[in-house]
């Protein structure tokens, strides 16, 4: 199966979660104290008035949280059902400073005419993309001069180990760090929806893949941070008071999340 068919399978799989995600996140957004991942909140700081492109926005909950910070937001997602529910979520909360576009991120060029002060993508996203060279090209295309790109995602090293064994205190390499073929899972969901039977594909990317996907597209790295905890839902068996997660036997021993900033 080629990558196009795998991406289509992912689109169909994520569409099965759209309604559940909408309902889950609507409940969370009813609480005015709901915030972004605290690591993301700290890194972004004040974004009031900035034009923000949010890549892989799912059903739009984090796009709304970005807009609540005063940004003018455009959210993009592969799944049309996600975009439908994102637009509904924006209506539910009377948000008029954001809009949504249905598109494969790697095919986005030409579908939006604007350029942005800030492009963001975070929390379990880049593994759904097979080609980070094209990803970097899209980011460069849509950033204004001196614009900033921000990524926050699972650390590539953390994705090597068997999650179930980690909860038992054993660090066993299950997924090849240098593997180029995606991991196929017959189920999807589980963090904001019950897991559903739906074939899907996830690509592990090395640190080199991520960094060179940006550098090779004339983006200048300005910051790299590695975190010993990640947001709940991206791994771990303990959740702290901030909503950050880690494996109780491995806190401080492996990086759980990665943040990168780059400038055009």
């Amino acid at each position: 199966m080629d990558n196009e068919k795998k991406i289509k399978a992912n689109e169909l799989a994520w569409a099965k979660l759209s309604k559940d995600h909408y309902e889950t996140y609507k409940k969370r957004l009813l609480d005015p104290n709901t915030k972004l991942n605290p690591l993301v909140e700290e890194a972004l700081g004040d974004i009031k008035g900035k034009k923000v492109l949010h890549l892989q926005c799912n059903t739009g909950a984090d796009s709304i949280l970005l807009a609540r910070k005063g940004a003018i937001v455009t959210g993009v997602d592969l799944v049309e059902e996600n975009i439908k529910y994102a637009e509904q979520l924006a209506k539910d909360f009377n948000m008029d400073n954001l809009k949504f576009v249905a598109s494969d991120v790697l095919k986005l060029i030409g579908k939006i005419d604007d350029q942005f002060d800030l492009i963001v993508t975070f929390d379990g996203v880049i593994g759904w993309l097979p080609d980070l060279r094209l990803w970097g090209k899209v980011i460069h295309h849509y950033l204004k001069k001196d614009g900033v790109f921000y990524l926050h995602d699972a650390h590539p090293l953390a994705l090597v180990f068997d999650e179930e064994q980690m909860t038992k205190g054993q660090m066993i390499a299950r997924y090849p760090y240098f593997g180029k073929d995606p991991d196929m899972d017959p189920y999807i969901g589980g963090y904001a929806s019950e897991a559903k039977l739906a074939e899907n594909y996830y690509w592990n990317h090395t640190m080199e893949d991520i960094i060179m996907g940006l550098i090779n597209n004339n983006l200048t790295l300005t910051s790299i941070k590695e975190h010993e905890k990640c947001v709940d839902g991206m791994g771990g068996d303990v959740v702290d008071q901030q909503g950050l997660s880690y494996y109780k036997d491995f806190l401080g021993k492996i990086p759980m999340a990665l943040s990168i900033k780059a400038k055009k």
Side-chain angles (χ1 to χ4, degrees):
M1 183 186 295
D2 62 23
N3 284 344
E4 288 289 330
K5 291 180 180 178
K6 291 170 183 172
I7 291 171
K8 185 62 180 179
N10 286 348
E11 180 182 353
L12 295 173
W14 280 99
K16 291 187 175 184
L17 305 178
S18 299
K19 187 173 186 291
D20 288 352
H21 282 190
Y22 162 74
E23 292 173 348
T24 296
Y25 291 124
K26 181 178 179 179
K27 289 177 183 176
R28 293 182 189 176
L29 289 168
L30 287 170
D31 180 354
N33 295 315
T34 297
K35 302 290 184 184
L36 296 165
N37 170 350
L39 298 173
V40 173
E41 284 278 357
E42 181 182 0
L44 291 182
D46 182 9
I47 58 171
K48 186 175 182 179
K50 290 188 177 181
K51 292 174 65 175
V52 177
L53 178 62
H54 181 197
L55 301 178
Q56 296 172 271
C57 69
N58 199 283
T59 51
D62 286 342
S63 300
I64 286 176
L65 292 174
L66 290 165
R68 283 182 176 177
K69 291 169 68 68
I72 303 158
V73 182
T74 299
V76 177
D77 197 84
L78 170 68
V79 184
E80 288 192 10
E81 284 291 292
N82 281 353
I83 295 302
K84 181 186 82 172
Y85 282 111
E87 290 172 341
Q88 183 58 52
L89 207 55
K91 289 179 183 176
D92 292 340
F93 291 96
N94 298 311
M95 305 293 294
D96 58 7
N97 56 337
L98 77 166
K99 62 182 179 180
F100 295 98
V101 176
S103 176
D104 180 342
V105 163
L106 302 184
K107 298 179 178 179
L108 185 61
I109 294 176
K111 296 182 181 179
I112 299 173
D113 294 328
D114 225 337
Q115 284 192 308
F116 298 85
D117 304 300
L118 175 67
I119 298 178
V120 299
T121 190
F122 45 85
D123 295 346
V125 285
I126 60 172
W128 302 103
L129 304 175
D131 189 340
L132 295 191
R133 294 168 298 174
L134 282 177
W135 173 73
K137 182 179 179 181
V138 170
I139 293 163
H140 181 272
H141 178 84
Y142 282 110
L143 268 183
K144 291 181 179 178
K145 184 179 179 182
D146 293 325
V148 173
F149 168 69
Y150 172 72
L151 161 76
H152 179 87
D153 213 327
H155 196 288
L157 181 60
L159 295 175
V160 168
F161 301 106
D162 187 309
E163 309 94 314
E164 185 176 344
Q165 295 303 317
M166 292 280 278
T167 65
K168 299 175 182 178
Q170 298 184 56
M171 191 178 290
I172 298 174
R174 177 180 177 184
Y175 307 99
Y177 184 78
F178 293 103
K180 297 302 179 187
D181 293 327
D183 178 62
M184 193 283 285
D185 195 327
Y187 289 90
I188 194 165
Y191 64 94
S193 166
E194 289 187 7
K196 298 181 186 292
L197 187 64
E199 182 177 301
N200 62 94
Y201 296 86
Y202 189 90
W203 287 265
N204 283 340
H205 299 295
T206 65
M207 185 77 82
E208 176 185 343
D209 293 335
I210 298 167
I211 291 173
M212 295 311 298
L214 301 172
I215 290 176
N216 285 338
N217 284 286
N218 297 313
L219 293 162
T220 301
L221 271 62
T222 60
S223 173
I224 299 177
K225 289 187 177 182
E226 297 171 293
H227 307 276
E228 64 179 358
K229 300 178 183 179
C230 63
V231 72
D232 185 22
M234 277 203 327
D237 56 4
V238 177
V239 181
D240 69 14
Q241 291 182 338
Q242 283 189 292
L244 296 175
S245 183
Y246 58 93
Y247 292 101
K248 64 180 183 296
D249 293 313
F250 300 107
L251 179 62
K253 295 180 180 179
I254 62 166
M256 292 294 292
L258 172 70
S259 299
I260 293 177
K261 285 185 178 180
K263 181 175 281 192
K264 180 174 175 179

